[in-house]
Amino acid sequence: EADIYQTPRYLVIGTGKKITLECSQTMGHDKMYWYQQDPGMELHLIHYSYGVNSTEKGDLSSESTVSRIRTEHFPLTLESARPSHTSQYLCASSDDPGQGGRDTQYFGPGTRLTVL
Amino acid sequence: KNQVEQSPQSLIILEGKNCTLQCNYTVSPFSNLRWYKQDTGRGPVSLTIMTFSENTKSNGRYTATLDADTKQSSLHITASQLSDSASYICVVSDRGSTLGRLYFGRGTQLTVWP
């Protein structure tokens, strides 16, 4: 079982609300990621981080923002939620064993967000 | 266009039976291929990872194969159990960046019936 946690697990909110999805890991991994996944669809990378104070946008354009002030913490924020943001959000982290990209990603349980 | 295609989209088998899931990819350059298991409402869990030089990798009752020439991989599950019911996701990594960009398939939804 991976030591990566996400809260809340489920969130139902109204349009226009500001929300923050929490993600933390206790494995000391430098690399962290946020993915968005709709039912029956593939995961899409929306944000990633190489380490503290490093954040980059992923392949899928997202109105969310992230921060990496501490190694173990990688929160995702939506300033004004809309129904189009309804999805599952998965956080992951990975080590870097120096094996040419063979780092294993460990995923959190996900947050299922519903915006009404 | 870099893509990962999985088949079948869904599969139902009886407990104790074997099954094979397929993954075809067009990702280039190629670094490695991973199979993940994702239980409903949970995050994916890594099963196997194979590089260009590896053509088979086992993890208990799971055996993955890779043919880098034809860009195909399969995941064989032996003596299935009810707990094998999950989505199995094929992921291919390229060598195009330090991050090693990952391309995800949509998964095969496996249901094991008693």
Side-chain angles (χ1 to χ4, degrees):
Chain A
E1 194 77 16
D3 294 323
I4 180 164
Y5 310 98
Q6 290 185 244
T7 58
R9 292 293 312 278
Y10 303 92
L11 180 61
V12 181
I13 61 168
T15 297
K17 300 293 185 183
K18 177 181 179 180
I19 62 168
T20 296
L21 308 185
E22 302 288 349
C23 175
S24 61
Q25 50 98 4
T26 59
M27 297 173 282
H29 291 167
D30 286 327
K31 296 179 182 178
M32 295 190 74
Y33 317 80
W34 275 102
Y35 291 91
Q36 187 174 337
Q37 183 183 31
D38 293 321
M41 302 296 286
E42 62 269 48
L43 278 73
H44 290 286
L45 181 67
I46 53 175
H47 298 283
Y48 61 94
S49 168
Y50 289 128
V52 172
N53 294 325
S54 157
T55 61
E56 301 287 343
K57 289 190 176 297
D59 308 317
L60 182 67
S61 175
S62 174
E63 295 168 346
S64 59
T65 60
V66 293
S67 63
R68 191 86 183 277
I69 299 174
R70 303 199 314 266
T71 298
E72 63 271 21
H73 198 212
F74 191 39
L76 180 146
T77 299
L78 274 166
E79 290 293 333
S80 179
R82 296 204 303 270
S84 60
H85 296 139
T86 295
S87 188
Q88 173 154 341
Y89 292 84
L90 289 162
C91 179
S93 71
S94 67
D95 54 9
D96 186 9
Q99 295 182 32
R102 291 187 61 176
D103 53 319
T104 297
Q105 290 201 354
Y106 298 90
F107 285 84
T111 293
R112 182 162 295 284
L113 172 65
T114 301
V115 184
L116 303 176
Chain B
K1 182 180 179 182
N2 289 323
Q3 286 184 314
V4 177
E5 301 287 343
Q6 291 188 243
S7 62
Q9 183 175 351
S10 61
L11 179 64
I12 299 174
I13 62 173
L14 294 177
E15 187 178 14
K17 297 297 185 182
N18 304 334
C19 67
T20 301
L21 314 180
Q22 301 290 343
C23 173
N24 297 334
Y25 62 92
T26 60
V27 177
S28 181
F30 173 84
S31 175
N32 57 72
L33 185 145
R34 311 151 187 242
W35 282 95
Y36 282 88
K37 177 186 179 186
Q38 184 176 21
D39 292 315
T40 301
R42 304 292 297 271
V45 175
S46 180
L47 294 175
T48 63
I49 179 170
M50 291 180 291
T51 60
F52 182 88
S53 60
E54 298 172 297
N55 54 24
T56 187
K57 181 73 69 78
S58 291
N59 179 359
R61 294 179 296 103
Y62 301 103
T63 299
T65 64
L66 172 65
D67 186 335
D69 291 330
T70 60
K71 298 186 176 181
Q72 295 179 326
S73 176
S74 65
L75 180 69
H76 186 73
I77 304 175
T78 304
S80 61
Q81 300 175 359
L82 298 180
S83 59
D84 291 332
S85 294
S87 178
Y88 291 83
I89 303 172
C90 176
V91 185
V92 180
S93 176
D94 67 9
R95 297 189 299 243
S97 69
T98 301
L99 184 65
R101 182 182 167 173
L102 301 180
Y103 296 85
F104 289 80
R106 294 186 176 183
T108 291
Q109 184 64 48
L110 174 67
T111 303
V112 180
W113 283 1

Coordinates of all heavy atoms in Angstrom, one line a residue, chain B residues 48-59 62-67 73-74 76:
Chain B
T48 N 3.4 -4.4 -13.5 CA 4.7 -4.7 -14.1 C 5.2 -3.5 -14.9 O 4.4 -2.6 -15.3 CB 4.5 -5.8 -15.2 OG1 3.7 -5.4 -16.2 CG2 4.0 -7.1 -14.5
I49 N 6.5 -3.5 -15.2 CA 7.1 -2.5 -16.0 C 8.2 -3.2 -16.8 O 9.0 -3.9 -16.3 CB 7.7 -1.3 -15.2 CG1 8.3 -0.3 -16.2 CG2 8.7 -1.8 -14.2 CD1 8.7 1.0 -15.5
M50 N 8.2 -2.9 -18.2 CA 9.1 -3.6 -19.1 C 9.8 -2.6 -20.0 O 9.1 -1.7 -20.5 CB 8.4 -4.6 -19.9 CG 7.9 -5.8 -19.1 SD 7.1 -7.0 -20.2 CE 5.6 -6.1 -20.6
T51 N 11.1 -2.7 -20.2 CA 11.8 -1.9 -21.1 C 11.9 -2.6 -22.4 O 11.4 -3.7 -22.6 CB 13.2 -1.6 -20.6 OG1 13.9 -2.8 -20.4 CG2 13.1 -0.9 -19.3
F52 N 12.6 -2.0 -23.4 CA 12.7 -2.4 -24.8 C 13.3 -3.8 -24.8 O 12.9 -4.7 -25.6 CB 13.6 -1.5 -25.5 CG 13.7 -1.8 -27.0 CD1 12.8 -1.4 -27.9 CD2 14.8 -2.6 -27.4 CE1 12.9 -1.7 -29.3 CE2 14.9 -3.0 -28.8 CZ 14.0 -2.5 -29.7
S53 N 14.2 -4.1 -23.9 CA 15.0 -5.4 -24.0 C 14.3 -6.5 -23.3 O 14.7 -7.7 -23.3 CB 16.3 -5.2 -23.4 OG 16.2 -4.8 -22.0
E54 N 13.2 -6.2 -22.6 CA 12.5 -7.3 -21.8 C 11.2 -7.7 -22.6 O 10.4 -6.9 -23.0 CB 12.1 -6.8 -20.4 CG 13.2 -6.4 -19.6 CD 12.8 -5.7 -18.3 OE1 12.2 -4.6 -18.4 OE2 13.1 -6.3 -17.2
N55 N 11.0 -9.0 -22.8 CA 9.8 -9.4 -23.5 C 8.8 -10.2 -22.6 O 7.7 -10.5 -23.1 CB 10.2 -10.3 -24.7 CG 11.0 -11.5 -24.3 OD1 11.0 -11.9 -23.2 ND2 11.8 -12.0 -25.3
T56 N 9.1 -10.4 -21.3 CA 8.2 -10.9 -20.4 C 8.5 -10.6 -19.0 O 9.7 -10.4 -18.7 CB 8.1 -12.5 -20.6 OG1 7.0 -13.0 -19.8 CG2 9.4 -13.1 -20.2
K57 N 7.5 -10.4 -18.2 CA 7.7 -10.0 -16.8 C 6.5 -10.5 -16.0 O 5.3 -10.3 -16.4 CB 7.8 -8.5 -16.6 CG 8.0 -8.0 -15.2 CD 9.4 -8.2 -14.8 CE 10.4 -7.4 -15.5 NZ 10.5 -6.0 -15.0
S58 N 6.8 -11.2 -14.9 CA 5.7 -11.8 -14.1 C 5.6 -11.2 -12.8 O 6.6 -10.7 -12.2 CB 5.9 -13.3 -14.0 OG 5.7 -14.0 -15.2
N59 N 4.4 -11.2 -12.2 CA 4.1 -10.7 -10.9 C 3.0 -11.5 -10.3 O 1.8 -11.3 -10.5 CB 3.7 -9.2 -10.9 CG 3.3 -8.6 -9.6 OD1 3.4 -9.4 -8.6 ND2 3.0 -7.4 -9.5
Y62 N 0.0 -12.6 -12.6 CA 0.0 -11.7 -13.8 C 1.3 -11.9 -14.6 O 2.4 -11.8 -14.0 CB -0.1 -10.3 -13.3 CG -1.3 -10.0 -12.5 CD1 -1.2 -9.8 -11.1 CD2 -2.5 -9.8 -13.1 CE1 -2.4 -9.5 -10.4 CE2 -3.7 -9.4 -12.4 CZ -3.6 -9.3 -11.0 OH -4.7 -9.0 -10.3
T63 N 1.2 -12.1 -15.9 CA 2.4 -12.2 -16.7 C 2.2 -11.2 -17.9 O 1.2 -11.4 -18.6 CB 2.6 -13.6 -17.3 OG1 2.8 -14.5 -16.2 CG2 3.8 -13.7 -18.2
A64 N 3.1 -10.3 -18.0 CA 3.0 -9.3 -19.2 C 4.1 -9.7 -20.2 O 5.2 -10.2 -19.9 CB 3.3 -7.9 -18.6
T65 N 3.7 -9.5 -21.5 CA 4.6 -9.8 -22.6 C 4.8 -8.5 -23.4 O 3.8 -7.7 -23.4 CB 4.2 -10.9 -23.5 OG1 3.0 -10.5 -24.1 CG2 4.0 -12.2 -22.7
L66 N 5.9 -8.3 -24.0 CA 6.1 -7.2 -24.9 C 6.8 -7.6 -26.1 O 7.8 -8.3 -26.1 CB 7.0 -6.1 -24.1 CG 7.5 -4.9 -24.9 CD1 6.3 -4.1 -25.3 CD2 8.5 -4.1 -24.1
D67 N 6.2 -7.1 -27.3 CA 6.9 -7.3 -28.6 C 7.1 -5.8 -29.1 O 6.2 -5.2 -29.6 CB 6.0 -8.1 -29.5 CG 6.7 -8.3 -30.8 OD1 7.6 -7.6 -31.2 OD2 6.3 -9.3 -31.5
S73 N 1.6 -5.5 -26.5 CA 1.9 -6.1 -25.2 C 0.6 -6.8 -24.8 O -0.5 -6.5 -25.3 CB 2.2 -5.0 -24.2 OG 2.3 -5.5 -22.9
S74 N 0.7 -7.8 -24.0 CA -0.4 -8.5 -23.4 C -0.2 -8.7 -21.9 O 0.9 -8.8 -21.5 CB -0.6 -9.8 -24.1 OG 0.5 -10.7 -23.9
H76 N -1.5 -11.4 -19.2 CA -2.2 -12.7 -19.0 C -2.4 -12.9 -17.5 O -1.5 -12.8 -16.7 CB -1.3 -13.8 -19.5 CG -2.0 -15.2 -19.5 ND1 -3.0 -15.5 -20.4 CD2 -1.8 -16.3 -18.7 CE1 -3.4 -16.8 -20.1 NE2 -2.7 -17.2 -19.1

